[in-house]
Amino acid sequence: MLCKQKSIPLFKAKLKAHPLLNKLIEKDVLKLSPSLCINKLPIQEAQTLLDLHPLLVSQIANDDTCFALVPCGLLERFKAHPLHTELNLKLLVYPKGAVELVSRSTLLCDPAFTYSLNANFNKNLQYRLKYFDEYGISRPKESLLTNLANTSSSTFR
């Protein structure tokens, strides 16, 4: 089943979690809080981050509401950006018949597949920060990164 790609202004996005998604993530433990530092990201970085995370949705309803097939807490953070009206959201629109396939892939297979990659992510980020400095490439402050990650300041040291 092929999906269609679509891009819409973030502020125009009407999102609603798909009823099946709500049931499947009912007992999820999430540690998402509003990222107050999102406004410190330049608009180009915010857009690049949004581009890295297209939202998977089922077919769009008559009133242009998209039914999200994955948890989209990330989007709420971007809506808090002072320039959110300039941001565009990429959508991957799947047909109604693909809801269970997409749910299986995104809620079970993807976390299992990427589990080992994320296990040492804080160490990888420590080294990456070091090399950005070594090569003279500008980078965000560690305080911004820890705020984005919703973690303590000692995580990346």
Side-chain angles (χ1 to χ4, degrees):
M1 294 184 189
L2 296 175
C3 68
K4 296 178 185 174
Q5 295 184 34
K6 184 175 181 176
S7 183
I8 61 172
L10 177 62
F11 76 95
K12 287 187 177 181
K14 293 184 201 174
L15 300 174
K16 187 176 185 179
H18 192 280
L20 181 61
L21 175 65
N22 282 333
K23 291 175 185 174
L24 294 173
I25 65 170
E26 183 178 332
K27 298 282 186 178
D28 276 12
V29 178
L30 298 175
K31 188 182 171 188
L32 264 185
S33 63
S35 184
L36 301 176
C37 70
I38 196 80
N39 61 345
K40 294 180 182 174
L41 282 176
I43 191 73
Q44 299 88 348
E45 283 187 36
Q47 184 60 61
T48 300
L49 288 173
L50 262 178
D51 290 345
L52 287 172
H53 300 280
L55 184 62
L56 285 66
V57 298
S58 67
Q59 289 181 326
I60 300 169
N62 293 341
D63 66 350
D64 288 335
T65 299
C66 299
F67 293 102
L69 299 177
V70 294
C72 53
L74 190 71
L75 245 36
E76 296 308 314
R77 290 180 164 185
F78 284 106
K79 285 181 180 178
H81 195 287
L83 299 174
H84 72 279
T85 57
E86 296 179 33
L87 295 171
N88 291 307
L89 174 62
K90 288 186 178 182
L91 300 175
L92 298 180
V93 184
Y94 285 86
K96 290 179 183 177
V99 171
E100 289 183 13
L101 168 73
V102 172
S103 296
R104 246 188 342 267
S105 300
T106 59
L107 298 177
L108 297 175
C109 296
D110 183 57
F113 185 67
T114 59
Y115 181 79
S116 64
L117 300 174
N118 293 328
N120 292 310
F121 193 71
N122 63 333
K123 284 272 186 220
N124 291 343
L125 203 49
Q126 288 173 358
Y127 290 125
R128 291 173 185 178
L129 285 167
K130 176 184 166 196
Y131 291 128
F132 266 71
D133 290 341
E134 229 176 81
Y135 292 110
I137 302 171
S138 69
R139 63 172 179 84
K141 293 182 180 180
E142 285 179 42
S143 60
L144 175 67
L145 295 175
T146 57
N147 194 308
L148 289 172
N150 196 26
T151 188
S152 71
S153 58
S154 62
T155 301
F156 305 135
R157 289 189 206 145

